[in-house]
Amino acid sequence: MRKIRILDFVIVAALMAAGIYLIFKNSLKKGNTVVVKAGENEYEYSAKADGIYKVHGLLGITTFEIKDRKVRIIDSPCQNKNCVNQGWHSPLVCLPNEVIITIEDQGEDYDAIAE
């Protein structure tokens, strides 16, 4: 049987810290565009334009709020309301209503440069 050493604890703690950092970094992501996919439609909103917006999904209207370059779902016609309980997060998903909301940095990340 192998003994647990202090270095084992250091490695596990470092991995846990990195995981927690990545979770918080992505959940508090602040981009410049809010992209909403509702069914087969796609909409873009400025993340700088605070307000309450509505989109039509499969079951009805999903209401979401943009504030301080963050987004959350306020109301949805789905029964379980899991999407409302997600809070200020990205991505937000309401599967029953087929609505997905993400915050993206449009124009800052490039896959290729055209000349």
Side-chain angles (χ1 to χ4, degrees):
M1 184 177 225
R2 185 172 178 224
K3 281 186 169 183
I4 297 176
R5 298 186 179 142
I6 197 99
L7 185 57
D8 296 333
F9 284 112
V10 171
I11 292 171
V12 169
L15 289 173
M16 288 177 59
I20 291 170
Y21 168 75
L22 290 174
I23 288 170
F24 281 110
K25 178 184 171 198
N26 288 334
S27 69
L28 298 175
K29 184 176 177 181
K30 292 184 178 180
N32 56 15
T33 304
V34 175
V35 178
V36 180
K37 294 177 184 171
E40 295 183 12
N41 299 317
E42 185 171 313
Y43 308 95
E44 290 186 3
Y45 300 86
S46 172
K48 298 175 185 175
D50 292 354
I52 295 175
Y53 304 92
K54 297 180 181 199
V55 293
H56 290 274
L58 180 67
L59 301 176
I61 296 174
T62 294
T63 306
F64 63 96
E65 178 182 15
I66 300 172
K67 185 175 181 182
D68 299 328
R69 297 175 67 187
K70 298 182 289 183
V71 65
R72 70 177 175 152
I73 294 177
I74 297 173
D75 189 38
S76 186
C78 59
Q79 290 182 0
N80 56 15
K81 305 287 186 196
N82 285 338
C83 56
V84 176
N85 296 326
Q86 292 178 61
W88 299 95
H89 202 283
S90 176
L92 296 166
V93 179
C94 180
L95 287 178
N97 203 26
E98 293 185 3
V99 173
I100 300 172
I101 303 173
T102 58
I103 298 175
E104 298 180 3
D105 291 326
Q106 301 269 332
E108 293 180 12
D109 294 327
Y110 301 100
D111 289 336
I113 297 176
E115 294 185 27

